[in-house]
Amino acid sequence: MKFVVIGGDAAGLSAASKAKRMYPDLDVIVFEKTFDVSFSACGMPYNIADPLRGIDDLVVRSADVFRNKQGIDLRLNHTVESIDREAKVVHGRSDGKEFSESYDKLLIATGARARSLPLPGMDLPGVLTLRALDDGRAMKRYLAENTVRSAVIVGSGYIGLEMAEALCARGVGVILPEVRTEILPWLPLEMSKLIIEELECKGAQVMLGVDLTEIRRTDKGLQVVTRDSRLDVDMVLIAVGVEPRSELAANAGLALGPYKAIAVDKYLRTSDPNIFAAGDCADAFHALTGARVWIPLGLRANRTGWLVAENLLENKTEAPDIVGTAVFKTFGYEVARTGLSVGEAETAGFQAVDTYIKSRSRAWRQPGAEDLWVQLVADRSTEKLLGGSIVGKEGAAHRIDSIAVALHAGMSVTEFFNCDMAYAPPFGPVWDPMLTCANVLLTNLKKASTAEKPPIMEP
């Protein structure tokens, strides 16, 4: 039996490696369009912050390890261009030469690409994105070969805010023009303001409500043009999110889901039973709504790769639903979220009630204690916990996992409040901030339920 994998990063090589362990005699072929496999994309901002580190430090396992130690036929610089589902053959090109390969089972693990903007100037030298390892190489090379004193970062999501810290660490003045009137709109406004204050305190300039129109090349370098201003800088990073690489699947007639991600069932099978999809190119089911969603995150990519291998010969293991747990760091702050924001909950049909509190990361008078903000979201009618977010200079990143577990367990706010959590003064107050927030939310739920009950009408 021949198992062909398209894509040599997290999902693709996780599937290939586990399949080879489970079935040593399986013929496993992996096609990777670049020369890079198995690298930590999430580590790029931290690598770029250090001019002495090479970008190849982020390679977790070399291609030769997969070939020589695991027996995987890993072919670099091989771009698959089409899938013939009827003949069960993939066609592609490498170094200008065409190739074809038959398969019994196929995995599409083509990942995601950085989104661009439909504006003039996106292709100018010095206008960069950050997704693949080659993007990181290009940025480190640009920083090394040019005098970069200032940069505009378009996009204030995870990558944009991580790169704001990285560039500031290299002495680059950073400007963040944001089209919205806030950043991180899934956070309560007061919590997102903390991040803006931190950015500006560290030297980055945040501009809200700014609508970009184009990027120009000038005698001075690059000019980012908005409706109200001109920003002259030496570099521009476009960090407005990612989109799934699903064209190969779409051209083969496979069904697509949200954001044109490849639609898969619980066993990671596409609409063709002989073709799987996993990682950032594929969709998932949300644990709270049951709806198809596309939330590309690292753990999901690795996990679904494993599960494809388990389900290769028969449906053995369902992929768990997701709640979208994520965390990132920008300067001194950890920012974490899981589940549904208020807006997402209302869109899904819930009657969302939320609250946020300010507490401390350690017990009273403990040295090093920092302020910690916790938000929880629940459904008014059922009191079911729907989501949460945490912001603080310590204690946010791992606390969010407790809320994620509660979401997977379908807990109510009361059940979460009653959880037996650890306490020691160096790690938190006796009433953990999450429990304090849950207690306040219970009060708010009762108030909301009482205030909004419809009047009893006489017949």
Side-chain angles (χ1 to χ4, degrees), residues 33 174 281:
K33 67 183 296 183
V174 172
C281 64

Side-chain angles (χ1 to χ4, degrees), residues 307-320:
L307 295 178
V308 166
E310 291 186 9
N311 296 325
L312 201 56
L313 302 184
E314 58 180 314
N315 293 346
K316 289 183 178 179
T317 310
E318 289 190 3

Side-chain angles (χ1 to χ4, degrees), residues 216-417:
R216 301 170 180 166
R217 169 66 68 181
T218 70
D219 294 339
K220 297 179 181 179
L222 293 169
Q223 185 177 77
V224 178
V225 181
T226 77
R227 298 202 183 279
D228 303 311
S229 63
R230 305 287 186 271
L231 305 173
D232 292 307
V233 292
D234 303 307
M235 190 181 87
V236 177
L237 171 63
I238 306 297
V240 291
V242 298
E243 58 190 15
R245 292 184 180 273
S246 58
E247 296 85 357
L248 191 62
N251 292 338
L254 298 177
L256 302 184
Y259 297 96
K260 296 184 179 181
I262 305 169
V264 294
D265 65 12
K266 294 282 189 175
Y267 299 97
L268 288 316
R269 296 182 188 275
T270 68
S271 51
D272 183 322
N274 293 308
I275 302 178
F276 297 83
D280 291 353
C281 64
D283 67 7
F285 293 92
H286 202 286
L288 296 168
T289 67
R292 289 184 177 274
V293 292
W294 182 64
I295 307 175
L297 292 169
L299 176 58
R300 172 75 180 182
N302 283 274
R303 174 175 280 149
T304 53
W306 276 26
L307 295 178
V308 166
E310 291 186 9
N311 296 325
L312 201 56
L313 302 184
E314 58 180 314
N315 293 346
K316 289 183 178 179
T317 310
E318 289 190 3
D321 296 344
I322 65 171
V323 291
T325 308
V327 64
F328 71 95
K329 174 184 174 294
T330 186
F331 295 101
Y333 275 95
E334 302 169 5
V335 184
R337 70 164 298 184
T338 189
L340 304 174
S341 67
V342 171
E344 291 165 345
E346 290 174 344
T347 299
F350 294 104
Q351 297 174 302
V353 176
D354 81 313
T355 194
Y356 69 93
I357 58 103
K358 175 183 174 183
S359 183
R360 299 286 279 173
S361 63
R362 306 183 190 186
W364 178 247
R365 294 189 183 280
Q366 278 290 304
E370 297 283 356
D371 290 338
L372 191 71
W373 286 261
V374 180
Q375 179 218 23
L376 291 174
V377 183
D379 178 51
R380 188 189 70 186
S381 59
T382 63
E383 297 192 358
K384 182 178 180 179
L385 192 63
L386 298 177
S389 57
I390 309 178
V391 172
K393 294 192 173 182
E394 71 166 16
H398 293 298
R399 274 184 170 91
I400 201 68
D401 291 335
S402 296
I403 303 173
V405 170
L407 297 180
H408 279 290
M411 285 187 178
S412 68
V413 181
T414 298
E415 288 170 332
F416 183 64
F417 174 71

Side-chain angles (χ1 to χ4, degrees), residues 439-456:
N439 191 40
V440 176
L441 181 54
L442 283 170
T443 300
N444 289 349
L445 284 165
K446 289 181 174 60
K447 288 180 180 177
S449 179
T450 303
E452 297 187 32
K453 278 185 178 178
I456 298 175

